[in-house]
């Protein structure tokens, strides 16, 4: 039996190695020549934020300062929680765009809306937003009670405003409906909900766990249905990564290993959202979805980092020193690594551009372990 288990493990690692070698190629090799969808609309947290939080005064959940963006074209920080591009950028490139659509608040900057003033609204720049917009906000979650930035309900309200002010006004009701039905609605959220819940109680009982999961899944259900009623049909969902493996949480584990209770919580949320989406397809006519599994991708890298071209899995590239360089975030006074393409994590919570490149490739056209029930490519072309 021991020999059989060893053989099984060896075969599994060989499979992971082959898959990761396939994924670890330049993004331009699979970039399509033209846009395969008319637009992309992005919702979620810091894993998808491309600069909305730059316009929020008084929040610490920002990345519009060095050393963030050191590998972005021009070397300037953009508000992305990364040394360069994030997963939303790579997915957009695979779909024929130059990168993620612009942050919504950059399109209405100066209107007062970015400061929470809902009485003064500036029309959205139509030409800039015809390829979509990103509403994602670092620090937010599925639950509106998570974080203090732009919660998911508000993100969807912003989308509704964009639809009314730009799409319907420019294309008419029928044209806007057709436009949205072919567009991609990308959702990357849930990590902060899990982190907030776990931070309040690191040993929750089964009742508390069940209530939390039900609250997140129920709220996720409401968000998807609201977007559907606004015209969304193609949902590209990114699940919660094994956040217990981030440098911050490893540093809280005396053994320095991944914090498995937090990973189990993430997996439980993922299972609930997967079941939810499978059920919604039968309820909502014309709905299609694909789930890119950040959980499985990061797990596969941890299993066999060399095949992914990564050598450092535990420490943050940019941080405040201490154990796993996780004593602080990536601030202008923090040190950062030179060989960033070999690190899994950029700061104490977020992936590097190299990891995001792998994610973009895996979710767009990768194997069943990383995306299902169809690939993002199939979703876009449907």
């Amino acid at each position: 039996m021991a020999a059989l288990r060893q053989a099984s493990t060896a075969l599994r690692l060989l499979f992971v190695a082959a898959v990761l070698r396939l994924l670890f190629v330049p993004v331009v090799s699979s970039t399509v020549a033209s846009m395969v969808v008319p637009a992309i609309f992005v919702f979620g947290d810091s894993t998808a934020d491309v600069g909305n939080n730059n316009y929020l005064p008084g929040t610490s959940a920002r990345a519009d300062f060095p050393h963030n963006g050191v590998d972005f074209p021009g070397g300037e920080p953009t508000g992305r929680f990364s040394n360069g591009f994030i997963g939303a950028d790579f997915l957009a490139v695979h779909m024929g765009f130059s990168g993620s659509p612009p942050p919504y608040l950059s399109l209405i900057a100066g209107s007062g809306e970015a400061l929470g003033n809902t009485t003064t609204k500036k029309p959205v720049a139509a030409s800039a937003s015809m390829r979509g917009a990103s509403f994602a906000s670092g620090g937010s979650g599925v639950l509106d009670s998570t974080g203090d930035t732009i919660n998911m309900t508000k993100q969807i309200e912003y989308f509704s405003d964009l639809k009314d002010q730009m799409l319907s006004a420019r294309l008419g009701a029928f044209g806007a409906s057709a436009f949205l039905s072919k567009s991609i609605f990308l959702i990357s959220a849930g990590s902060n909900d899990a982190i907030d819940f776990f931070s309040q109680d690191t040993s929750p009982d089964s009742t508390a766990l069940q209530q939390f999961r039900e609250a997140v899944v129920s709220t996720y259900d409401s968000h998807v249905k609201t977007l559907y009623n606004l015209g969304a049909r193609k949902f590209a969902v990114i699940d919660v990564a094994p956040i217990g493996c981030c440098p911050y949480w490893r540093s809280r584990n005396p053994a320095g290993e991944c914090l498995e209770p937090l990973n189990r919580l993430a997996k439980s949320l993922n299972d609930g959202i997967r079941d939810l989406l499978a059920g919604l397809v039968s309820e909502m006519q014309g709905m299609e979805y694909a789930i890119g599994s950040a959980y499985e991708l990061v797990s596969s890298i941890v299993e066999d980092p060399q095949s992914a071209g990564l050598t450092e899995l535990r420490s943050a590239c940019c941080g405040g020193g201490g154990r796993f360089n996780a004593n602080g975030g990536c601030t202008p006074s923090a040190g950062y690594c030179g060989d960033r393409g070999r690190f899994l994590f950029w700061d104490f919570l977020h992936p590097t551009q190299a990891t995001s490149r792998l994610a973009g490739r895996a979710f767009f056209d990768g194997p069943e372990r990383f995306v299902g029930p169809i690939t993002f490519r199939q979703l876009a072309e449907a």
Side-chain angles (χ1 to χ4, degrees):
M1 290 297 293
L4 284 174
R5 284 195 298 269
Q6 289 174 351
S8 175
T9 300
L11 286 171
R12 178 170 53 81
L13 290 176
L14 283 172
F15 170 76
V16 170
V19 168
L20 289 174
R21 288 190 187 99
L22 176 64
L23 295 175
F24 198 67
V25 296
V27 65
V28 293
S29 67
S30 63
T31 302
V32 289
S34 60
M35 293 179 291
V36 293
V37 294
I40 303 174
F41 299 96
V42 184
F43 304 83
D45 54 29
S46 58
T47 59
D49 189 355
V50 291
N52 277 308
N53 282 14
N54 298 356
Y55 298 87
L56 300 181
T59 180
S60 60
R62 299 171 70 128
D64 55 339
F65 49 79
H67 305 290
N68 298 297
V70 65
D71 296 311
F72 198 83
E76 296 295 324
T78 62
R80 289 165 172 82
F81 293 78
S82 171
N83 57 304
F85 290 106
I86 61 173
D89 292 301
F90 288 110
L91 286 168
V93 168
H94 284 307
M95 294 182 192
F97 296 85
S98 60
S100 173
Y104 175 75
L105 293 188
S106 73
L107 302 174
I108 61 170
S111 67
E113 179 72 5
L115 305 180
N117 180 354
T118 57
T119 60
T120 304
K121 292 190 177 183
K122 176 182 177 182
V124 174
S127 60
S129 57
M130 279 302 292
R131 69 184 181 98
S134 176
F135 306 89
S137 175
S140 68
V142 175
L143 301 173
D144 287 348
S145 58
T146 298
D148 59 0
T149 53
I150 310 171
N151 63 43
M152 189 74 79
T153 296
K154 187 64 177 177
Q155 291 180 35
I156 296 173
E157 287 177 6
Y158 280 149
F159 167 71
S160 180
D161 290 342
L162 182 147
K163 177 187 174 184
D164 292 341
Q165 295 175 28
M166 187 271 286
L167 293 178
S168 296
R170 185 166 181 171
L171 303 175
F174 180 81
S177 177
F179 182 89
L180 292 175
S181 70
K182 297 176 183 176
S183 297
I184 291 290
F185 286 74
L186 177 64
I187 304 175
S188 181
S191 296
N192 290 324
D193 302 286
I195 289 171
D196 281 7
F197 175 77
F198 188 79
S199 297
Q200 295 170 27
D201 185 358
T202 58
S203 301
D205 59 30
S206 59
T207 300
L209 285 168
Q210 182 178 352
Q211 290 175 342
F212 170 69
R213 172 177 153 149
E214 289 176 352
V216 172
V217 173
S218 173
T219 307
Y220 207 109
D221 175 72
S222 176
H223 292 324
V224 170
K225 287 177 178 175
T226 301
L227 286 170
Y228 178 88
N229 290 333
L230 288 168
R233 293 297 182 268
K234 297 183 179 185
F235 293 87
V237 172
I238 299 176
D239 72 11
V240 181
I243 44 183
C245 294
C246 295
Y248 176 83
W249 292 106
R250 279 185 183 270
S251 72
R252 268 57 185 171
N253 185 344
E257 300 299 329
C258 298
L259 207 59
E260 290 306 328
L262 185 51
N263 285 350
R264 287 194 294 271
L265 180 60
K267 192 173 187 309
S268 176
L269 290 183
N270 292 341
D271 291 344
I273 291 169
R274 184 175 293 105
D275 291 344
L276 166 70
L277 293 172
L280 287 178
V281 168
S282 61
E283 294 179 27
M284 303 194 298
Q285 184 178 4
M287 176 189 168
E288 298 176 274
Y289 75 96
I291 302 175
S293 183
Y295 193 97
E296 288 298 327
L297 179 70
V298 173
S299 296
S300 72
I301 294 172
V302 172
E303 289 170 12
D304 187 6
Q306 303 257 336
S307 295
L310 305 180
T311 56
E312 178 51 62
L313 306 183
R314 298 185 173 204
S315 294
C317 170
C318 183
R323 197 177 190 206
F324 304 129
N325 202 22
N327 276 4
C330 184
T331 65
S333 60
Y336 66 97
C337 64
D339 197 1
R340 295 176 287 281
R342 298 294 180 179
F343 275 66
L344 175 59
F345 293 102
W346 166 238
D347 60 21
F348 56 18
L349 289 174
H350 301 99
T352 58
Q353 175 178 263
T355 306
S356 294
R357 178 184 287 110
L358 284 171
R361 174 89 179 186
F363 304 159
F364 184 70
D365 204 17
E368 186 177 10
R369 177 177 179 182
F370 303 136
V371 60
I374 59 175
T375 67
F376 283 18
R377 177 199 285 273
Q378 292 168 325
L379 179 68
E381 295 176 346

